Amino acid sequence: MKIFQPKQLQYLFIAAFAFFFMESCKPKGTQSAATGDAAKAYVAPGKYDEFYNFVSGGFSGQMAVYGLPSGRLLRVIPVFSTDPEKGWGFSEETKPMLNTSHGFVPWDDAHHPEMSQTNGEVDGRWVFINGNNTPRIARIDLTTFRTAEILEIPNSAGNHSSAFVTQSTEYVVAGTRFSIPPDDANGDVPIDSYKQNFKGNVSFIKVDSVSGNMNIAFQIRTPGVNFDLSHAGKGNSHGWFFFSCYNSEQANTLLEVNASQRDKDFIMAVNWKKAEEYLKAGKGRKQAVRYAHNTYSDKTHSATSKIETEITILDSKELADMVYLIPCPKSPHGCDVDPTGEYIVGSGKLAALVPVFSFTKLQKAIADKAFDGDYEGIPVIKYEAALHGEVKKPGLGPLHTEFDDKGNAYTSMFVSSEIVKWNVKSLEIIDRVPTYYSVGHLMVPGGDSRKPFGKYLVAYNKITKDRYLPTGPELAQSAQLYDISGEKMKLILDFPTIGEPHYAQAAPAGLISKKSVKFFKIEESEHPYVSKGEGQAKVTRDGNKVHINITAIRSHFNPDNIEGVRVGDEVYFHLTNLEQDWDVPHGFAVKGANNSELLVMPGETQTLKWVPEKSGMYPFYCTDFCSALHQEMQGYIRISPAGSSVPLSFSTGKTPTPAAGKTPTPSAAKPGTK
């Protein structure tokens, strides 16, 4: 059944018009374009910001934390990419966090952070974020500002439509960007067999309400479309999830034209309460898969990785009343739900309007079976039957919408480089302001929850020409802060960001800072190689493995002289930071180690593995400035040739202590050989 008529050349016409509009309407006088009181963004020395702002690092694979309104960078949290500053992915304890079914994958593309919620309100416990490239979702613990869990997503490619949570964080979702053959099918098929072999998939990941631990409860198999973004229902629409999807044409090449032919693609509405009923009734099908589930423990200061082997599939074509499609113009990107939960905003990148759907009308359309046929077995709701109304001529290239606490919406216009403020009920445009330039996501603190905090809006821009000092062919990514406390939006600050910022979340500082961990109690450590005092420092040998239990405290290591280690030994430095004071980390690095430093928090133990390749004298030192005598915080490890008879010993300021352990009989080896 043919649902929509393609319109040839429409895409080229819109693109040409958009280019003309952007060039003719580019804001003038950009250097002096701030319209608000810039002093509102000033935070005096010694004063704290009002909000934490959690921003995706895009292709850095990390997440950045900024203060608002100052725009000061407070921390970069390593998530999916190795980070030598903090030893993330380099220490033996953190390497398992980057394990996948493909092996150790030390990079990803992080797009959409989402804070945990309780009753639809931001609660300050966790932030979830997606890995777009090798499909993963991470959970960051906001007591430590560290990644606590990473879950790989099977049957997916390009995990873009995530990580978004339900009203009380019952689930976090992950929708595949690229439809592909399922993991248990033969993927070695012709690419042009897309319509026959490629399937879509959305995952519902259960979140433990106390620990935050994640597990994939079920996946919904869908037709082979591409899922872009999503948001959960709330209030009256709690129990539903909404996903924007494009490529209803199911094209497999030159998608910018071939996936932009139809007037409308879809918003997919999922009744996840109904899905739970089907799951409980045993309607799901078990599928054999392989995916990694990685968790980090603050008790052992170590990560573990487990390969899971099964998933439950619910088929959208076979199970009625679970999935519906709402037509949405055109190649929709954003999919946003207002604080009341009544209105669902779809943003068609190529549309000259913004459609707003009503949850109440959607339910009536389902009850009345007001369908316009089906799409591969999924009922398609008639557009007008679910439509609340359209925002007319909002701008060019609508992408994302956030909401304030006064019934207003704010939509980013990528092509016309502006933010448009409009009333959710009346659909009337209230204000528009330019951005510099090509705004993508935007963020109002709490702006996708039931309780937005309002006051500020941040635009995350893709292009920054003429905003900052030039830095060669590439300029810093850009964020711009607007005061939205009045009827008119006012630009009050520019600040650069790491990577390519996509989505962001923000919450009042007091909601998070009061829970912050200041140090780890050393007496509670369960790390297998912890040294809970200098008296427990030691060096032991087990065959060619040498374990060095070393302590750090201002301003020395114990031991700081180590001898009897040989070329080819696997050397494990288990460094325990004995400090029990806030903000006194110690670092550790040894000459010639081909990985990274360690950065060890107070009361924590971390391990650096090193295999020396030639004999000699190797200094090690503290890499994090810790005291007036930081420069003196150093030591030496002597590396002897393989087979050397130099006994293993260690000391700090006294006669060396013989090391314990199993020592193999030395072989007759020439000096310098392995």
Side-chain angles (χ1 to χ4, degrees):
M1 173 179 176
K2 194 172 187 179
I3 302 172
F4 305 112
Q5 293 294 325
K7 287 190 176 180
Q8 300 300 321
L9 301 180
Q10 182 181 16
Y11 170 73
L12 296 177
F13 171 77
I14 291 176
F17 177 73
F19 177 79
F20 171 79
F21 186 93
M22 182 171 66
E23 289 300 306
S24 62
C25 299
K26 183 177 288 187
K28 302 298 191 293
T30 57
Q31 293 296 341
S32 58
T35 57
D37 183 357
K40 289 185 176 181
Y42 178 70
V43 177
K47 299 296 183 181
Y48 289 168
D49 278 285
E50 297 174 57
F51 292 91
Y52 285 103
N53 182 204
F54 301 96
V55 183
S56 70
F59 44 69
S60 77
Q62 318 294 36
M63 188 172 73
V65 186
Y66 298 87
L68 292 180
S70 73
R72 297 183 294 202
L73 177 62
L74 304 177
R75 185 169 183 81
V76 175
I77 301 175
V79 185
F80 299 112
S81 300
T82 53
D83 182 1
E85 178 192 2
K86 302 174 182 68
W88 181 258
F90 290 99
S91 71
E92 296 303 295
E93 287 82 0
T94 60
K95 285 179 181 178
M97 293 298 286
L98 302 182
N99 187 42
T100 73
S101 61
H102 306 278
F104 183 79
V105 177
W107 174 84
D108 217 309
D109 185 16
H111 282 209
H112 305 125
E114 176 87 337
M115 297 187 72
S116 56
Q117 298 181 12
T118 300
N119 296 323
E121 297 182 15
V122 171
D123 59 27
R125 293 183 295 167
W126 311 301
V127 179
F128 302 89
I129 191 168
N130 65 319
N132 184 33
N133 183 65
T134 303
R136 288 174 278 184
I137 282 184
R139 177 176 58 88
I140 291 94
D141 185 340
L142 291 182
T143 65
T144 59
F145 282 64
R146 283 182 165 183
T147 302
E149 190 173 14
I150 296 179
L151 182 66
E152 188 181 3
I153 312 299
N155 293 317
S156 297
N159 173 35
H160 194 262
S161 186
S162 69
F164 299 99
V165 302
T166 51
Q167 181 172 291
S168 287
T169 322
E170 297 94 342
Y171 294 99
V172 58
V173 301
T176 185
R177 173 180 175 180
F178 307 105
S179 288
I180 55 171
D183 285 3
D184 61 345
N186 178 20
D188 182 19
V189 296
I191 297 173
D192 63 8
S193 69
Y194 187 110
K195 293 184 179 181
Q196 292 76 41
N197 293 311
F198 290 47
K199 298 296 181 184
N201 184 71
V202 293
S203 304
F204 280 74
I205 300 161
K206 193 71 175 175
V207 181
D208 185 272
S209 61
V210 177
S211 68
N213 289 342
M214 303 183 292
N215 67 84
I216 301 176
F218 58 90
Q219 294 185 322
I220 298 178
R221 184 66 45 81
T222 73
V225 296
N226 294 16
F227 293 102
D228 202 334
L229 281 165
S230 55
H231 268 101
K234 52 181 78 80
N236 191 41
S237 59
H238 177 55
W240 288 74
F241 226 106
F242 305 95
F243 298 80
S244 62
C245 47
Y246 62 103
N247 195 24
S248 56
E249 299 86 349
Q250 297 191 351
N252 62 272
T253 185
L254 202 63
L255 261 63
E256 62 179 317
V257 174
N258 292 328
S260 303
Q261 296 184 39
R262 294 183 172 181
D263 286 339
K264 295 180 176 68
D265 285 285
F266 299 115
I267 298 293
M268 187 176 82
V270 175
N271 183 343
W272 59 263
K273 291 285 190 180
K274 175 64 70 172
E276 286 184 328
E277 292 177 13
Y278 282 131
L279 189 69
K280 187 176 181 179
K283 299 294 185 180
R285 175 179 62 83
K286 299 295 183 182
Q287 179 191 346
V289 291
R290 283 178 54 83
Y291 64 98
H293 188 182
N294 311 326
T295 56
Y296 189 87
S297 167
D298 286 331
K299 291 186 177 181
T300 64
H301 306 298
S302 303
T304 57
S305 179
K306 179 183 179 183
I307 295 295
E308 306 284 358
T309 58
E310 191 176 74
I311 210 79
T312 302
I313 301 293
L314 299 174
D315 196 311
S316 62
K317 187 175 182 178
E318 298 173 357
L319 301 175
D321 305 325
M322 183 175 67
V323 179
Y324 299 89
L325 296 172
I326 310 169
C328 183
K330 178 180 190 213
S331 293
H333 187 53
C335 181
D336 304 285
V337 181
D338 88 306
T340 69
E342 172 62 20
Y343 301 108
I344 303 105
V345 181
S347 297
K349 301 187 294 291
L350 304 179
L353 52 83
V354 175
V356 181
F357 302 101
S358 162
F359 181 74
T360 301
K361 287 188 174 182
L362 170 64
Q363 296 305 297
K364 186 176 187 303
I366 292 172
D368 295 344
K369 298 190 182 300
F371 302 145
D372 190 9
D374 68 86
Y375 182 84
E376 295 194 17
I378 300 177
V380 177
I381 306 289
K382 288 183 178 179
Y383 179 69
E384 294 78 10
L387 187 70
H388 166 62
E390 297 172 340
V391 182
K392 303 292 187 181
K393 299 181 180 179
L396 290 178
L399 292 186
H400 303 283
T401 300
E402 290 274 287
F403 305 90
D404 66 16
D405 53 345
K406 302 178 183 67
N408 301 313
Y410 302 79
T411 300
S412 58
M413 301 292 166
F414 178 80
V415 178
S416 51
S417 291
E418 59 184 334
I419 296 170
V420 175
K421 177 181 179 180
W422 49 278
N423 183 271
V424 176
K425 288 186 178 180
S426 71
L427 308 178
E428 294 178 354
I429 293 175
I430 300 169
D431 190 24
R432 62 177 72 236
V433 292
T435 62
Y436 308 101
Y437 305 94
S438 299
V439 58
H441 282 275
L442 43 71
M443 186 279 302
V444 173
D448 71 342
S449 72
R450 294 182 71 183
K451 185 183 178 182
F453 300 102
K455 192 170 185 179
Y456 299 118
L457 178 149
V458 184
Y460 299 96
N461 306 321
K462 304 303 183 184
I463 298 173
T464 60
K465 291 179 181 179
D466 75 30
R467 303 307 291 179
Y468 307 122
L469 287 171
T471 53
E474 184 188 20
L475 302 179
Q477 306 292 325
S478 167
Q480 294 186 300
L481 179 69
Y482 294 81
D483 178 0
I484 60 170
S485 58
E487 184 177 6
K488 297 293 184 180
M489 297 176 280
K490 297 179 180 180
L491 175 62
I492 58 177
L493 180 69
D494 282 15
F495 61 95
T497 67
I498 69 163
E500 182 195 354
H502 289 261
Y503 194 41
Q505 295 268 278
L511 189 64
I512 297 168
S513 60
K514 62 185 179 183
K515 305 174 185 176
S516 184
V517 170
K518 291 183 168 57
F519 57 86
F520 298 104
K521 295 179 180 180
I522 196 162
E523 67 272 15
E524 296 179 0
S525 175
E526 297 177 9
H527 192 286
Y529 289 96
V530 63
S531 300
K532 296 186 177 181
E534 290 195 345
Q536 295 182 17
K538 60 184 178 179
V539 179
T540 57
R541 175 183 286 280
D542 183 4
N544 73 328
K545 293 181 173 62
V546 177
H547 293 275
I548 301 171
N549 289 38
I550 184 171
T551 63
I553 196 166
R554 289 167 287 184
S555 298
H556 65 274
F557 292 110
N558 186 18
D560 63 5
N561 281 209
I562 303 164
E563 300 186 36
V565 179
R566 305 174 185 132
V567 169
D569 281 344
E570 289 184 11
V571 182
Y572 295 88
F573 293 95
H574 306 290
L575 180 69
T576 299
N577 181 348
L578 295 179
E579 308 285 355
Q580 293 288 267
D581 191 8
W582 190 20
D583 194 29
V584 190
H586 285 296
F588 181 86
V590 60
K591 176 186 174 182
N594 61 357
N595 45 15
S596 171
E597 65 154 0
L598 296 176
L599 189 62
V600 188
M601 298 301 111
E604 185 181 41
T605 302
Q606 292 286 287
T607 301
L608 182 74
K609 179 183 177 181
W610 176 47
V611 181
E613 296 184 353
K614 60 181 180 180
S615 60
M617 191 63 63
Y618 291 83
F620 55 85
Y621 67 103
C622 178
T623 56
D624 190 271
F625 205 101
C626 55
S627 72
L629 296 176
H630 164 76
Q631 196 74 359
E632 284 73 17
M633 192 169 176
Q634 65 177 55
Y636 295 98
I637 180 168
R638 173 187 172 187
I639 304 299
S640 299
S644 168
S645 59
V646 174
L648 194 64
S649 63
F650 60 96
S651 65
T652 300
K654 59 183 180 180
T655 304
T657 303
K662 305 170 186 176
T663 304
T665 303
S667 60
K670 294 181 180 179
T673 62
K674 295 185 180 180

